[in-house]
Amino acid sequence: EQKQRYYTIAFSQCVESDDWRKTMLQEMNRELAFHPNINFLYRQADGNSQKQVVQANELLKEDPDLFIISPNEGEPLTPVVKQAFLKGIPVIVVDRKVATPHYTAYIGSDNYEIGKTAGQYAVHLLKGKGKIIEITGLPKSSPAIERHNGFADAIKNYPSLQVIQQINGEWLPETAKIELSKIAARYPDVDLVFAQNDMMAQAAYEVFKNMVGIKPYIIGVDGLPSTGLKFVSDKTITATMLNPTGGEEIISTAVKILNKENFPRENLIQTTVIDSTNVRIMQLQVAKAASQQSQIERQENRLEEQKRIYNNQRTFVYILVSS
Ligand code: FRU
């Protein structure tokens, strides 16, 4: 019998309070369940870059065989990633990027493409003419920059389509709501809100819902069943750009790296528009996948149970024979 090697993977997550991060962790754990030889260390930093630097250093002191990080903001987390990489620890960067090429693999959405798709959808909704408010995530995190750039490029050939105001929602619905409330009354003629995630999109809906006569289209990003898909199907927001968390791919790439197999360095996950025309089918697909997953888990449990019974019987037979 081949001896199995044991590995330690350390994961530094920027924040875990929202459903998107929770989904990512669930998907990672699901994949980790197939690899009992992996010891998984996990810390999350409550959306605080300084705290994440401290935690990342603590994790690295444990001498992991591989380090995964989803940085809160690129700049502050760059030195620790570079150090780990130069020490020879493979590093997987997830979702938000760092400002150095010193990493082993990147896994995340094509955020420029997400912004561009959202922009094209805005052009289509407004027929190339109208006023837009953009609610960004943390301005120093790469998805905020890339989603903004993609959106701006998609609308740049339509001079009558303009972003009249940009606000920083920090990726958080609370912040988005506060910041938008401060300025909303100034823009009774706003036609569309592009919010860089669904939680902030829903916050925009909350702000405008009580303002008589203002009912802009609202576009979000993420498309989780519990947020984006629900908001689109409830018609509180108009559309969402799918942004899968990549949880499974993160672990399967980690395993390939540890096993010295080939793996792609840049792993860009593709997006698609979800609006009222296809939200139902998306929801059905998600439900189907969830029921298949619970089926798999039930069968795994049955298998475990069978193994336990078999082992008991073996012990029993052994006792009988040897007595
Ligand atoms: C979750 C989140 C997502 C967003 C991503 C950007 O923490 O804000 O909603 O798509 O992070 O990094």
Side-chain angles (χ1 to χ4, degrees):
E1 204 172 289
Q2 207 186 358
K3 233 178 154 187
Q4 230 184 12
R5 256 207 75 179
Y6 283 83
Y7 293 110
T8 295
I9 294 180
F11 176 32
S12 165
Q13 174 67 297
C14 55
V15 62
E16 75 167 2
S17 52
D18 60 82
D19 283 6
W20 196 80
R21 301 281 160 184
K22 285 185 186 139
T23 304
M24 182 194 288
L25 190 59
Q26 266 171 18
E27 288 176 3
M28 290 171 79
N29 280 325
R30 195 175 293 157
E31 193 61 28
L32 279 165
F34 294 110
H35 304 281
N37 60 326
I38 293 176
N39 172 32
F40 186 61
L41 305 177
Y42 169 75
R43 302 292 296 276
Q44 71 81 25
D46 291 317
N48 178 327
S49 301
Q50 275 64 49
K51 186 169 174 176
Q52 194 175 13
V53 171
V54 174
Q55 288 181 341
N57 280 310
E58 283 169 4
L59 284 170
L60 289 169
K61 279 209 194 91
E62 302 290 320
D63 266 330
D65 298 291
L66 186 141
F67 182 54
I68 303 170
I69 184 165
S70 189
N72 192 50
E73 294 166 300
E75 291 288 344
L77 273 307
T78 293
V80 59
V81 166
K82 191 171 167 180
Q83 265 168 33
F85 182 83
L86 291 179
K87 257 178 69 183
I89 302 173
V91 181
I92 301 181
V93 177
V94 170
D95 173 49
R96 302 183 191 170
K97 295 177 179 167
V98 280
T100 170
H102 292 91
Y103 61 86
T104 313
Y106 169 81
I107 298 170
S109 283
D110 187 338
N111 283 300
Y112 175 83
E113 198 57 33
I114 285 181
K116 196 163 167 194
T117 310
Q120 286 162 344
Y121 193 78
V123 169
H124 152 80
L125 281 174
L126 299 178
K127 302 185 178 62
K129 186 173 182 304
K131 298 196 167 74
I132 299 171
I133 294 178
E134 181 180 18
I135 309 178
T136 73
L138 284 172
K140 288 183 188 149
S141 62
S142 62
I145 299 162
E146 293 170 356
R147 288 176 199 177
H148 167 80
N149 287 343
F151 191 85
D153 281 352
I155 66 168
K156 73 172 176 230
N157 292 329
Y158 300 86
S160 312
L161 200 58
Q162 273 178 350
V163 176
I164 49 170
Q165 177 71 257
Q166 196 194 52
I167 58 177
N168 173 11
E170 301 178 318
W171 299 119
L172 303 172
E174 301 81 15
T175 311
K177 201 164 177 179
I178 293 168
E179 293 304 311
L180 185 59
S181 299
K182 286 184 194 161
I183 56 124
R186 259 188 263 161
Y187 302 102
D189 52 350
V190 60
D191 299 295
L192 184 142
V193 176
F194 170 46
Q196 292 186 350
N197 74 16
D198 289 332
M199 303 181 289
M200 300 191 295
Q202 180 71 359
Y205 162 76
E206 301 281 338
V207 170
F208 285 113
K209 130 177 119 180
N210 300 319
M211 299 180 71
V212 184
I214 315 182
K215 206 176 177 311
Y217 293 114
I218 301 176
I219 301 178
V221 176
D222 282 344
L224 286 176
S226 57
T227 58
L229 296 189
K230 182 174 188 308
F231 304 152
V232 171
S233 107
D234 290 350
K235 297 201 162 35
T236 56
I237 72 172
T238 318
T240 178
M241 307 297 125
L242 187 67
N243 174 36
T245 69
E248 254 172 60
E249 290 85 345
I250 297 166
I251 296 302
S252 58
T253 302
V255 168
K256 281 186 195 143
I257 294 173
L258 289 171
N259 290 341
K260 310 243 174 319
E261 289 165 25
N262 286 336
F263 63 92
R265 178 171 139 99
E266 301 296 327
N267 301 269
L268 291 185
I269 304 168
Q270 296 308 302
T271 188
T272 188
V273 177
I274 301 163
D275 64 8
S276 64
T277 64
N278 63 348
V279 68
R280 182 85 190 113
I281 186 122
M282 291 300 287
Q283 286 175 314
L284 289 173
Q285 270 174 10
V286 171
K288 179 96 193 152
S291 98
Q292 279 168 346
Q293 182 59 32
S294 72
Q295 189 83 352
I296 291 170
E297 276 157 23
R298 266 176 42 207
Q299 283 172 359
E300 273 170 357
N301 288 341
R302 268 180 46 193
L303 211 66
E304 281 305 309
E305 181 63 14
Q306 295 291 333
K307 260 198 238 161
R308 210 180 50 78
I309 294 171
Y310 172 74
N311 284 335
N312 277 348
Q313 285 173 343
R314 252 201 356 187
T315 320
F316 184 62
V317 169
Y318 176 75
I319 293 170
L320 274 184
V321 170
S322 61
S323 62

